[in-house]
Amino acid sequence: MRTDAFALRHIGPRESDLNHMFKTIGVESFDQLIYETIPDDIRLKNDLNLDAPMTEYEYLTHIQELGKKNKVFKSYIGLGYHPAIVPPVIQRNIFENPGWYTAYTPYQAEIAQGRLEAILNFQTMVIELTGMEIANASLLDEGTAAAEAMALLFDVRSRDQKKNNTRKFFVSEEILPQTLSVLQTRSTPIGVELVIGNHETFDFSTDFFGAILQYPGKYGQVNDYSAFIAKAKENEIKVAVAADILSLTTLTSPGEMGAAVVVGTTQRFGIPMGYGGPHAAYFATKEEYKRSMPGRIIGVSIDANGKRALRMALGTREQHIKREKATSNICTAQVLLAVMAGMYAVYHGPKGLKYIAAKVHASAVTLADALNKLGVYQSNTAFFDTISVKADSAKVKTVAEKNEVNFFYADNETISISINETTSLNDLNQIIAIFAEATGKDSFKVSELSSNNNFPTSLERTSTFLQHEVFNNHHSESQLMRYIKKLERKDLSLNHSMISLGSCTMKLNAAAEMLPLSMANWNSIHPFAPIEQAEGYITMLKKLEQQLNVVTGFAGTTLQPNSGAQGEYAGLMAIRAYHQSRGDNHRNVCLIPSSAHGTNPASAAMAGMQIIVTKTMENGNIDVEDLRARAIEHKDNLSALMVTYPSTHGVFESAICEITKIIHDNGGLVYMDGANMNAQVGLTNPATIGADVCHLNLHKTFAIPHGGGGPGVGPICVNEKLVPFLPSNPIINVGGDQAITAISAAPYGSALVCLISYGYITMLGAEGLKSSTEHAILNANYMKARLEAHYPVLYSGEMGRAAHEMILDCRSFKQNGIEVTDIAKRLMDYGFHAPTVSFPVAGTLMIEPTESEDLAELDRFCDAMIAIRKEIDAASADDTNNVLKNSPHTLAMLTADTWVYPYTREQAAYPLDYIHENKFWPSVRRVDDAYGDRNLVCSCAPIEAYL
């Protein structure tokens, strides 16, 4: 046994288990299993051309050496990214803790109360700092949040504006450049016309439905927007404001000025820059727009006992459920980062945040005064943390970089300097010395910070914020550590048991993959630092792109999309650009099978495409003849087919090559959704099946953890004809030679977490990746073989095999009064998170075990499902007081003086022997979703307010 082989640690089943598993399935070997699962004509003939795998020790040595090629300069670049202090108590107990980073999106509320509370804190923080009424559980980054604000305001236009086709959207020239680029990308396909200009000369014409302002502006200018917003409101123009969250502790909030939407990033609340991410964006608006709001909202409800319980609120307003009527395709948030930012506010409290903001502002004022004395004059009439000065940029840059300092050089004579919470007096004196040398003046030192304010008293914040006890009770490390632990204990994550979610691939996130994220050489680089300072990053990212090219069989990759849904959108936008480059502007029809994930039609709608749904046959496969008919019918305007492979039903359809040929023969391109890539790697690939572009979920197949609902990374890989159209960035030169504008704010998206996937591929190598795929298919078919005698399996391949996942049909249990939700809740009593509920077919469970789960864990889950089947058989429709309907069972129920149920406490809490060893207790009983929707509360409040 090669104990230094990473594959041995990543893959669950042992060599000695294989014969038993093969026998249970009814095959002799892996070769036979794979032959019976994947059509032979799409199997790869050669192994992947990747470097030999590294051991964990070799990899960590390699990544430390590579990290040394990144130069960590003092960064005053700003533009929405700032050095931030990550409180060690948060770094150790959340960022580096698998109890937090391996959790899944909190669809199963009863076993996610800790994370839900942490996100509720985040929402409360955002609502109160922005002065708005409602906030969501985070978005991807500030640029995409601004684009979502534009889309929301377009969606909520007045009846007259819709009737008059009012389409203009004003963008202040103060907007961050990367935000403008994302707005340009997102506006064009939906028919919004951007007008960029000076807010002071805006004419408030009735041609406009909305506007967006930056607060403070990109180079630091602080403007009072009250009059602008008031006049806009008179003209039925709704205003969004992109606001720096730290400044809102000091400056009047946009909500108090009358803004309709406020967006921004929470990066400077204790999140490392990480060369661009991941960072949790925030999005806040008025309650009247809640049904048009993108992303998820955490709300307060009650459980079956009337006890306070949290949940994801307004589930039916999730945009991708609207399919082609969606205005957003958001499927991933940035929950792990939102939790950290919320905890930063909990740890510092309102007084601590005001102290940090005051120190930052005082440092900026002190620097401005000192530079004025050198004859380097500051031009902002009011500022918070960023000053703009006039000097010879080339001279200053030479001296600054010699001293390992970065400023932002707006033009030949304008330099922007953004102060942050890490800036000390020594740092200020270093900056003064740099300008003195560059201008040939005598330097001097400052010894204390100025007590002056550099913004008008009319903009000084007078309203209170963060008065709830959670923000005022946890300011010592012991207090915060215990609070974090209290919340962690309420959540079921991968450090407790398997999470067998179909379509979501909850595999091992190995410690060796995660450790580099805490290394300063990797997490302290500004995304707009000069490229030569990021040599380690560029080497790693280019290598990862090359690895993904090999895995997919394609020619090019962009890592910019920072979620799977963003990847879908990026792929479609690349296809759109390809057709337009050939003069085929009319090609806008997108064929989507009816079985597709809801984000597919939502993404196509955002890309301005006309969606034609094609039929699915009774066996779950695409109806090839219907697809052919639709492709021929629309051949003059056909743009693309969106296809998931293996299918959403967990089957490798043998007609896939015929399907892709039909599309190509009729002038379209094929987008392959990579959600199920875990069944392909090393055995087949998107290029082989005839796709032109695919997105990959690095947070599924390539081991980035789900973090309770994000971070996600959704790069797209493309063939040669689409390489020229890969997305750009306005500051760092990336993308193809005919690049579309930006998909997300940072040039390489969530670059920091790409280290995880780079480590995963580098340590597994070609053989390990292929073996992982084989074991994923093995584990799924082993579970299928054990469960199909107890539950009907809805779809399987032509030889009876599943791919890496399967669907159990639970609809017939309604005759016993049991819904699929009851099975999901009962699994909690057995110590398991439910599989995917009612997707892609209502009333079913979709199970995906992944390759990381060992035989004993697979058997525990199967034993639990088989035991639940016996409980279903014992239930009846006219008696709802049964163990399934009353699940999950809490410790409070089990220890109560009275027991009013017709089964024993033992049956309720310990139905199988293994549970005695490691019991997980749901912290609330079944949550009342309807109550929470009728009484929407999405921020912290005293308990009397909602009970």
Side-chain angles (χ1 to χ4, degrees), residues 27 60 67 105 142 205 275 287 291 301-302 336 487 522 533 581 644 668 674 693 757 773-774 806 907:
V27 294
L60 288 171
T105 305
E142 181 169 333
S205 136
Y275 204 49
E287 190 141 345
R291 301 245 164 218
S301 188
I302 56 175
L336 183 68
L487 299 189
W522 290 105
Q533 293 173 24
S581 75
T644 302
V693 50
S757 299
T773 309
E774 290 172 338
M806 80 212 78
Q907 284 173 298

Side-chain angles (χ1 to χ4, degrees), residues 28 97 106 220 279 319 354 396 402 479 520 557 565 622 672 688 714 745 785 811 925:
E28 297 288 327
N97 181 352
H279 306 131
Q319 288 284 350
K354 282 185 89 78
V396 173
K402 182 180 71 178
Q479 288 170 319
T557 292
I622 291 170
M672 192 205 85
T688 300
R811 291 172 292 188
R925 291 193 63 194

Side-chain angles (χ1 to χ4, degrees), residues 103 129 243 293 324-325 369 392 398 481 564 569 642 930:
L129 286 173
M293 196 171 170
E324 64 271 18
K325 293 183 175 64
D369 291 346
D392 185 324
T398 301
M481 175 180 68
Y569 179 70
M642 297 186 83

Side-chain angles (χ1 to χ4, degrees), residues 559-748:
L559 297 164
Q560 197 176 113
N562 44 14
S563 81
Q566 292 284 95
E568 292 178 14
Y569 179 70
L572 293 175
M573 290 298 284
I575 288 173
R576 181 177 182 272
Y578 167 78
H579 287 310
Q580 289 182 345
S581 75
R582 293 155 56 87
D584 290 342
N585 294 13
H586 55 282
R587 288 198 173 272
N588 69 339
V589 169
C590 185
L591 303 184
I592 304 179
S594 60
S595 60
H597 194 288
T599 54
N600 283 183
S603 297
M606 285 168 56
M609 294 185 174
Q610 181 192 345
I611 294 146
I612 305 293
V613 177
T614 69
K615 293 177 185 173
T616 305
M617 296 192 296
E618 206 170 299
N619 67 358
N621 290 354
I622 291 170
D623 184 327
V624 178
E625 291 315 310
D626 182 65
L627 181 91
R628 191 192 315 276
R630 299 287 80 74
I632 292 169
E633 179 188 351
H634 297 283
K635 69 179 188 300
D636 293 337
N637 298 309
L638 183 62
S639 176
L641 165 73
M642 297 186 83
V643 61
T644 302
Y645 200 73
S647 72
T648 315
H649 297 138
V651 173
F652 281 96
E653 298 179 44
S654 59
I656 188 63
C657 292
E658 182 184 358
I659 288 166
T660 56
K661 186 175 186 298
I662 289 168
I663 301 304
H664 291 145
D665 286 349
N666 289 281
L669 298 184
V670 176
Y671 164 88
M672 192 205 85
D673 186 308
N676 294 337
M677 194 69 193
N678 213 44
Q680 283 198 45
V681 180
L683 299 175
T684 183
N685 64 34
T688 300
I689 69 169
D692 298 282
V693 50
C694 75
H695 93 269
L696 302 171
N697 294 99
L698 298 192
H699 52 288
K700 295 182 183 181
T701 307
F702 296 95
I704 292 176
H706 284 62
V713 180
I716 58 166
C717 306
V718 299
N719 60 15
E720 284 180 3
K721 64 175 72 166
L722 292 178
V723 168
F725 308 101
L726 293 177
S728 60
N729 178 274
I731 296 173
I732 301 295
N733 183 23
V734 294
D737 54 22
Q738 298 177 68
I740 60 172
T741 44
I743 292 294
S744 56
Y748 294 96

Side-chain angles (χ1 to χ4, degrees), residues 191-384:
V192 170
E193 182 187 339
L194 299 186
V195 177
I196 301 144
N198 186 326
H199 75 278
E200 291 178 351
T201 57
F202 180 55
D203 65 359
F204 299 96
S205 136
T206 53
D207 293 342
F208 289 84
F209 67 87
I212 188 165
L213 309 169
Q214 190 83 40
Y215 182 61
K218 61 185 174 183
Y219 304 140
Q221 175 66 40
V222 171
N223 293 302
D224 185 342
Y225 292 125
S226 303
F228 179 95
I229 293 171
K231 193 164 183 189
K233 199 175 283 186
E234 286 172 18
N235 291 276
E236 280 200 87
I237 299 169
K238 298 178 182 73
V239 180
V241 176
D244 176 277
I245 196 159
L246 185 62
S247 76
L248 299 184
T249 64
T250 300
L251 300 175
T252 302
S253 71
E256 292 170 286
M257 293 183 190
V261 186
V262 188
V263 299
T265 175
T266 58
Q267 180 267 315
R268 66 191 313 178
F269 275 21
I271 313 294
M273 289 186 292
Y275 204 49
H279 306 131
Y282 70 81
F283 188 107
T285 187
K286 296 177 180 292
E287 190 141 345
E288 64 189 279
Y289 305 140
K290 64 191 176 191
R291 301 245 164 218
S292 297
M293 196 171 170
R296 301 177 174 125
I297 305 169
I298 305 310
V300 182
S301 188
I302 56 175
D303 75 356
N305 283 355
K307 178 184 169 188
R308 176 181 184 264
L310 307 176
R311 57 187 273 277
M312 280 169 50
L314 304 178
T316 53
R317 54 146 287 290
E318 278 199 74
Q319 288 284 350
H320 60 265
I321 292 169
K322 298 179 182 180
R323 299 179 75 85
E324 64 271 18
K325 293 183 175 64
T327 56
S328 167
N329 65 352
I330 292 293
C331 198
T332 309
Q334 296 279 26
V335 170
L336 183 68
L337 298 312
V339 166
M340 290 174 66
M343 283 301 176
Y344 181 92
V346 168
Y347 194 39
H348 290 294
K351 291 178 183 173
L353 293 177
K354 282 185 89 78
Y355 165 78
I356 293 165
K359 179 173 172 280
V360 166
H361 180 62
S363 298
V365 172
T366 304
L367 180 62
D369 291 346
L371 294 182
N372 278 345
K373 286 177 188 171
L374 286 175
V376 177
Y377 296 111
Q378 202 284 127
S379 57
N380 289 331
T381 56
F383 58 82
F384 166 65

Side-chain angles (χ1 to χ4, degrees), residues 409-457:
Y409 304 94
D411 57 42
N412 291 340
E413 55 174 23
T414 309
I415 302 166
S416 168
I417 307 169
S418 290
I419 302 302
N420 59 78
E421 69 168 320
T422 72
T423 307
S424 66
L425 271 173
N426 286 340
D427 295 327
L428 296 179
N429 285 319
Q430 183 187 34
I431 297 171
I432 295 164
I434 288 167
F435 276 88
E437 183 179 340
T439 56
K441 305 281 178 62
D442 291 335
S443 188
F444 58 90
K445 292 194 172 183
V446 295
S447 57
E448 60 181 6
L449 296 180
S450 170
S451 57
N452 298 328
N453 263 4
N454 197 281
F455 48 83
T457 51

